[in-house]
Amino acid sequence: MTTDTRAVRRAALQSTVDIVERRIAAACAASGRPRADVTLIAVTKTYPASDVEILAELGVREIGENRDQEARTKFDALSGQSLRWHFVGQIQRNKAKSVARYADVVHTVDRVELAEALARGVVSADRPRLDVLLQVNLDPAATGVIGPRGGVAPDHIADLAIAVDSYPELRLRGVMAVAPLGGDPNEAFGRLAVISRELRRHSSDATLISAGMSSDLELAIAHGATHVRVGRDLLGAR
Ligand SMILES: *Cc1c(COP(=O)(O)O)cnc(C)c1O
């Protein structure tokens, strides 16, 4: 990248970061929450490592990725930087070992076999405990264990939480969800808040709520989100 191209991209990202920061601050103010309650995760999927580097310069150091190979490549390219890597995509069991090597937080644990595979990955990577969130399927029709876009059905969360807690390599930190397509995000995030409260009665460390994307971060913050995952409105359309 030429110096000019980088300067142009930096200016563009500076501007979108400012806008998103203002939206988060306003949403926090509107619900009487301190700004420090909410962490911005920049979801950099499909965008190059150079963008991650610029975001870090601009103070955005929490990075989200949804595909193992792409995430691993960027992690390796940027290993000297102090970044926190959030894995927000669905994980096939055979990718868990790889994800466990570089992820700081895995947002998408939705079945026991995945928890088990991640725990084994933590052992083989010889690293400290891995923070995990349970991905909840908020589709109102969710009855099975896992929905098509991932996520455990609400009535299976308690069992999954017990299973995750049984692995000393994993630390259950909370819940994650995507508002259902075509559904009412207000209702969905409200339900997620109730689910989070219920989970915290048994797992006191499970205080995180990962919810809200470019289109609905204000609503998620109003319902208690502690982590918003923003791609498009920071980096551009994919
Ligand atoms: C891509 C993605 C995001 C970011 O979505 P935008 O609409 O681009 O802000 C958030 N969460 C998950 C799980 C994603 O895959």
Side-chain angles (χ1 to χ4, degrees), residues 41-45 64-66 87-90 107-108 135 176-178 210 212-217 228-234 236-238:
I41 299 171
V43 180
T44 50
K45 62 190 184 200
E65 287 285 337
N66 73 336
F87 198 87
V88 303
Q90 288 184 249
H107 290 229
T108 47
Q135 183 183 353
M176 176 275 208
V178 180
S210 167
M213 321 200 308
S214 292
S215 60
D216 54 18
L217 69 89
V228 293
R229 310 177 307 266
V230 181
R232 189 195 62 218
D233 283 1
L234 283 175
R238 291 178 296 270

Side-chain angles (χ1 to χ4, degrees), residues 6 10 50-61 81:
R6 194 178 199 283
R10 193 180 198 283
S50 54
D51 278 354
V52 179
E53 206 166 38
I54 294 171
L55 286 166
E57 286 173 17
L58 298 173
V60 181
R61 300 186 160 274
Q81 313 250 354

Side-chain angles (χ1 to χ4, degrees), residues 87-91 96 99 103 105-119 122 130-137 145-146 149-153 156-157 159-165 167 170-177 199:
F87 198 87
V88 303
Q90 288 184 249
I91 307 176
V99 172
V105 188
V106 171
H107 290 229
T108 47
V109 172
D110 59 4
R111 58 201 193 278
V112 176
E113 64 156 21
L114 176 56
E116 186 199 0
L118 287 168
V122 171
L130 175 63
D131 283 356
V132 301
L133 308 181
L134 304 185
Q135 183 183 353
V136 182
N137 181 1
V145 180
I146 297 169
R149 297 159 78 212
V152 60
H156 287 76
I157 290 167
D159 286 346
L160 181 57
I162 289 167
V164 168
D165 273 333
Y167 293 105
L170 305 180
R171 181 165 170 234
L172 178 56
R173 294 306 322 277
V175 292
M176 176 275 208
L199 180 64

Side-chain angles (χ1 to χ4, degrees), residues 23-113:
R23 287 174 59 190
I24 294 172
C28 286
S31 25
R33 302 179 62 195
R35 169 63 188 86
D37 262 16
V38 178
T39 299
L40 169 62
I41 299 171
V43 180
T44 50
K45 62 190 184 200
T46 78
Y47 284 92
S50 54
D51 278 354
V52 179
E53 206 166 38
I54 294 171
L55 286 166
E57 286 173 17
L58 298 173
V60 181
R61 300 186 160 274
E62 310 273 339
I63 304 301
E65 287 285 337
N66 73 336
R67 291 182 55 215
D68 171 55
Q69 194 185 322
E70 183 181 348
R72 192 163 13 107
T73 304
K74 287 179 203 169
F75 172 84
D76 288 339
L78 298 168
S79 58
Q81 313 250 354
S82 72
L83 299 166
R84 272 173 67 74
W85 294 89
H86 297 259
F87 198 87
V88 303
Q90 288 184 249
I91 307 176
Q92 289 167 330
R93 198 223 282 252
N94 65 349
K95 296 288 167 65
K97 185 176 175 184
S98 171
V99 172
R101 188 170 71 79
Y102 58 80
D104 293 293
V105 188
V106 171
H107 290 229
T108 47
V109 172
D110 59 4
R111 58 201 193 278
V112 176
E113 64 156 21

